Amino acid sequence: MTTPSLIPVKPEVAARTRIDSEAYARLYRESIDDNEGFWRREGQRVDWMRPYTQVKDVSFDASDLHIRWYADGQLNVSANCLDRHLEKRGDKTAIIWEPDNPADAPRHITYRQLHEEVCRFASALKAQGVGKGDRVTIYMPMVPEAAVAMLACARIGAMHSVVFGGFSPDSLASRIVDSGSRVVITADEGVRGGRAIPLKGNVDEALAQPGVDSVEKVIVVRRTGGRINWFEDRDLWYGDLIADASPDCPPEAMDAEAPLFMLYTSGSTGKPKGVLHTTGGYLVYVAMTHELVFDLREDDIFWCTADVGWITGHSYVVYGPLANGATTVMFEGVPNHPDVDRFWQVCDRHRVTILYTAPTAIRALMREGDEPVQRWRRDSIRLLGSVGEPINPEAWGWYYRVVGEERCPVVDTWWQTETGGILISPLPGATDLKPGSATRPLFGIQPALVDAEGRILEGATEGNLVLLDSWPGQMRTVYGDHQRFIDTYFKTYAGMYFTGDGCRRDEDGYYWITGRVDDVINVSGHRIGTAEVESALVAHAAVAEAAVVGFPHDIKGQGIYAFVTLTSDSQPSEDLRKELVQTVRACIGPIASPDHIQWAPGLPKTRSGKIMRRILRKIAANEHDQLGDISTLADPGVVEGLVNNRLIR
Ligand code: PRX
């Protein structure tokens, strides 16, 4: 069955929407013509303790870079996510928690209950001496306490740094050191797909590493009751702290530009960077986009399947939905446990109205056929969303036809950790859909395509995606390294924010993201820097040199392909291959495991010694007939050897 290449807005969706296509066109134009006026009004979405008079103070000029929004206003994010809903929505469910094992009971937490728990935990953190500007690392499974910890930090003005529970102790350690966290919040164990993950054990291991010495306290949520080691003068049980703490903890008045959190993400070079988001602009932006893109209603049950360890979890599991007083589903498990119908079971069980997930999950489930989907009714769902990587039209079509029964619009949302929230996406009541396209920019957002020299390209064309102006949800700096922020995003093309993505724009002005143009690999929607994997590989004594590239992968979108040159006294073997994969898992985490390791006696290099990844990417993709010009290589003969021994045929 084929899916049409253009799917007009459905009359029944248009009939009840607040923004139809005409309104979109008009509001978009207005939002650009009077950008400041637009954001002045949007700022009113949230409650301010001290109203702002200033709105926008931005320069993308690298020599004078600054990005400030609502700078003289003050507010508190947790008060906006909790306190302000108590009167009208105190008994409304804020969080539905669906445990890994469907036989266990889900939890429903009302806004009132969540408020009390956050206040108690915020009091407890204060009692431990945590206050404004302090950093707190959160290394948690998908349990409501993760959201409580984030909101409690926000309440007292501490910055959180959530580290995905799938990262290794080494990765955790380097993020703790970089952030200088005083407290780590974790759980005894996490549970995913029926397996326990030793989170507390990983924290112990991270903190035992040399140089990891900022942490004074480790707070542990009891999730499984599994056996853990306990350090009397350092470790505290979350449950004990909550029980003893005061439920009275007024929110701190925070400057709009006070840091709210940092979140580490991979770039093309060096270590992961701490992307820093601030209080006012971020909250306004996630609240706005969550309402507009999902055409939010009071009775929606919103399920974003992302882990809180990623930006999608921050913005659309926790902050956006709670700022809007919505009911948000937190799912602890995975799509294929205990069976491949789990997503649809959860949708029926909780009467989910909006499902927001990643192409990699859609492709994996598509492979299982239609039957597991059809075991469940899914009649509560009215809108489907996609995020994290380009969605191929085939997966889009399956999502639309089989999951949504052609009833539900699919919003393909393009954004990044750096952007805080969605920038390019259809609006369900306004935008005709094209499978595979993120369609058009949201209000106030000015994307452009540029050529290699930074010249802006007009009309239907292809180029590198930049943003010409700021929006309130934009990251403000790389934690501890402002110069890196400037160099990474504002130096490639003068006066523009460079996204790192390639993109095509069609004759209707629709954007089609084609993927990263830098050395970042997007594996199952997770960003992995080739440099990180390479440095993990060369950490092994047998490895002289390594070059890592992405290659097209049916389920993951991209996979990791490593070319490895061994030292002269090492021999290739299956055991060594396994050992190298293990090394990468230990250094970074399972998500960075190479799919293929090819032994490479030599690597294609220019005469100045630079590895030509372009060529390696072609070899990995099995496109060796399109290698292009290899005459500039120091030793063109290397290529032939690599082609003959490539692993994917
Ligand atoms: O390449 C783009 C891809 O994911 C990158 C951002 O990754 P991250 O910061 O981890 O954030 C992921 C969740 C927002 C982008 O540079 N990407 C994200 N969404 C899409 C996408 N590519 C195509 N289509 C999308 N909808």
Side-chain angles (χ1 to χ4, degrees):
M1 246 181 107
T2 54
T3 309
S5 54
L6 183 78
I7 298 166
V9 175
K10 300 197 178 300
E12 49 296 4
V13 178
R16 39 162 279 178
T17 192
R18 283 164 293 209
I19 300 176
D20 61 14
S21 62
E22 227 166 85
Y24 167 78
R26 178 172 41 81
L27 285 169
Y28 180 74
R29 211 172 320 109
E30 285 174 16
S31 75
I32 303 301
D33 292 347
D34 178 15
N35 192 251
E36 183 152 347
F38 174 77
W39 291 118
R40 183 181 296 281
R41 285 190 300 281
E42 286 300 322
Q44 296 302 315
R45 286 181 174 274
V46 305
D47 286 357
W48 297 82
M49 292 163 150
R50 189 173 80 199
Y52 53 88
T53 63
Q54 303 158 1
V55 175
K56 179 181 181 183
D57 178 12
V58 170
S59 161
F60 276 7
D61 177 352
S63 64
D64 174 36
L65 188 91
H66 58 271
I67 301 165
R68 287 189 280 271
W69 287 91
Y70 312 111
D72 61 347
Q74 286 190 327
L75 74 167
N76 183 281
V77 166
S78 94
N80 271 284
C81 290
L82 302 168
D83 308 47
R84 71 163 168 164
H85 303 311
L86 292 182
E87 199 178 319
K88 275 219 289 274
R89 302 181 175 115
D91 297 321
K92 179 174 176 175
T93 300
I95 297 178
I96 298 175
W97 179 67
E98 170 71 18
D100 183 64
N101 181 350
D104 293 344
R107 286 169 64 187
H108 290 77
I109 301 166
T110 65
Y111 272 94
R112 201 179 317 287
Q113 291 166 332
L114 186 62
H115 174 262
E116 180 176 335
E117 181 121 346
V118 168
C119 287
R120 283 179 181 273
F121 192 50
S123 296
L125 286 174
K126 271 210 286 203
Q128 295 302 322
V130 180
K132 270 191 182 177
D134 285 336
R135 277 82 60 209
V136 172
T137 292
I138 298 176
Y139 184 65
M140 293 273 273
M142 280 291 280
V143 292
E145 289 80 0
V148 171
M150 293 162 74
L151 291 161
C153 288
R155 197 164 189 88
I156 61 174
M159 302 163 63
H160 57 72
S161 163
V162 182
V163 177
F164 173 56
F167 278 122
S168 68
D170 280 9
S171 289
L172 175 63
S174 64
R175 286 158 171 78
I176 290 172
V177 170
D178 190 80
S179 64
S181 289
R182 296 178 56 188
V183 170
V184 177
I185 304 166
T186 189
D188 49 1
E189 294 176 307
V191 189
R192 262 166 77 86
R195 289 216 310 260
I197 301 149
L199 295 176
K200 170 66 162 64
N202 288 352
V203 171
D204 293 343
E205 215 180 294
L207 296 187
Q209 294 192 4
V212 189
D213 44 25
S214 59
V215 175
E216 295 154 26
K217 295 289 172 197
V218 175
I219 300 173
V220 187
V221 173
R222 193 191 302 271
R223 168 64 187 91
T224 64
R227 275 177 59 100
I228 52 173
N229 291 326
W230 198 257
F231 299 84
E232 272 310 326
D233 47 359
R234 190 196 73 189
D235 299 346
L236 299 160
W237 283 110
Y238 173 93
D240 294 347
L241 290 180
I242 290 280
D244 298 340
S246 164
D248 183 22
C249 181
E252 288 283 344
M254 301 301 293
D255 289 339
E257 285 298 336
L260 177 64
F261 65 84
M262 65 183 108
L263 182 59
Y264 287 86
T265 193
S266 297
S268 28
T269 55
K271 289 188 310 180
K273 43 187 180 277
V275 167
L276 187 130
H277 284 286
T278 58
T279 303
Y282 174 80
L283 191 69
V284 169
Y285 198 71
V286 295
M288 180 188 94
T289 51
H290 179 251
E291 184 194 300
L292 290 181
V293 172
F294 301 106
D295 200 11
L296 191 72
R297 306 298 148 131
E298 188 62 45
D299 55 0
D300 272 321
I301 308 290
F302 180 81
W303 181 21
C304 165
T305 67
D307 192 284
V308 289
W310 311 111
I311 191 68
T312 311
H314 282 59
S315 300
Y316 300 110
V317 174
V318 179
Y319 288 121
L322 297 180
N324 287 331
T327 299
T328 183
V329 177
M330 270 182 100
F331 176 43
E332 186 181 36
V334 293
N336 57 0
H337 176 83
D339 199 350
V340 293
D341 65 346
R342 185 69 193 276
F343 267 17
W344 326 120
Q345 177 190 32
V346 174
C347 286
D348 276 13
R349 188 177 205 185
H350 299 299
R351 305 295 298 159
V352 168
T353 58
I354 305 170
L355 173 66
Y356 188 34
T357 192
T360 187
I362 298 167
R363 286 190 296 262
L365 296 174
M366 176 170 79
R367 200 168 62 168
E368 305 294 338
D370 302 357
E371 183 276 328
V373 186
Q374 286 155 356
R375 281 179 217 160
W376 302 90
R377 293 165 60 108
R378 291 159 286 114
D379 56 331
S380 55
I381 307 177
R382 66 168 181 84
L383 182 62
L384 298 169
S386 172
V387 58
E389 50 179 316
I391 178 164
N392 46 314
E394 195 196 352
W396 197 105
W398 185 81
Y399 199 31
Y400 177 71
R401 282 185 287 104
V402 178
V403 178
E405 295 174 334
E406 299 184 30
R407 181 183 71 242
C408 310
V410 173
V411 290
D412 174 4
T413 64
W414 174 84
W415 58 296
Q416 313 178 295
T417 306
E418 293 88 337
T419 70
I422 300 164
L423 298 193
I424 304 182
S425 168
L427 299 185
T431 318
D432 297 340
L433 304 173
K434 297 188 188 186
S437 171
T439 77
R440 293 170 163 282
L442 298 186
F443 303 130
I445 302 302
Q446 293 187 60
L449 302 183
V450 296
D451 65 13
E453 279 72 50
R455 281 183 296 254
I456 294 182
L457 307 167
E458 304 292 343
T461 185
E462 187 160 350
N464 288 340
L465 181 64
V466 298
L467 294 150
L468 300 179
D469 199 357
S470 183
W471 62 98
Q474 182 171 25
M475 76 182 280
R476 300 298 197 263
T477 190
V478 171
Y479 183 75
D481 195 350
H482 193 61
Q483 193 56 45
R484 188 169 176 200
F485 176 56
I486 299 170
D487 293 346
T488 308
Y489 303 103
F490 299 95
K491 286 245 170 107
T492 317
Y493 304 116
M496 307 170 189
Y497 167 84
F498 177 42
T499 63
D501 278 329
C503 182
R504 182 165 71 79
R505 187 173 51 221
D506 70 17
E507 55 292 344
D508 296 322
Y510 276 43
Y511 289 83
W512 301 72
I513 312 295
T514 50
R516 303 289 305 193
V517 294
D518 55 9
D519 290 322
V520 170
I521 312 181
N522 193 329
V523 182
S524 301
H526 304 318
R527 266 164 76 163
I528 296 170
T530 53
E532 284 170 77
V533 185
E534 286 163 7
S535 77
L537 287 166
V538 297
H540 193 285
V543 177
E545 199 167 28
V548 168
V549 296
F551 71 99
H553 187 288
D554 283 350
I555 303 290
K556 302 189 209 176
Q558 280 190 296
I560 299 178
Y561 197 115
F563 294 87
V564 170
T565 309
L566 296 177
T567 55
S568 53
D569 50 358
S570 307
Q571 291 304 315
S573 72
E574 217 25 61
D575 283 348
L576 180 56
R577 201 192 301 270
K578 284 191 194 132
E579 239 178 77
L580 293 183
V581 171
Q582 199 41 50
T583 304
V584 176
R585 291 172 73 99
C587 281
I588 306 174
I591 56 172
S593 302
D595 298 275
H596 300 291
I597 294 179
Q598 176 170 345
W599 309 118
L603 291 169
K605 290 184 186 167
T606 59
R607 288 186 196 102
S608 59
K610 197 167 167 267
I611 296 174
M612 301 243 334
R613 286 163 196 288
R614 176 177 63 77
I615 293 175
L616 294 176
R617 276 195 284 267
K618 291 286 179 198
I619 296 174
N622 210 0
E623 293 170 352
H624 50 279
D625 48 343
Q626 304 165 33
L627 289 179
D629 182 13
I630 59 169
S631 62
T632 54
L633 290 179
D635 175 9
V638 165
V639 174
E640 201 187 325
L642 292 179
V643 168
N644 291 338
N645 291 309
R646 73 193 186 277
L647 297 171
I648 313 171
R649 285 167 197 271

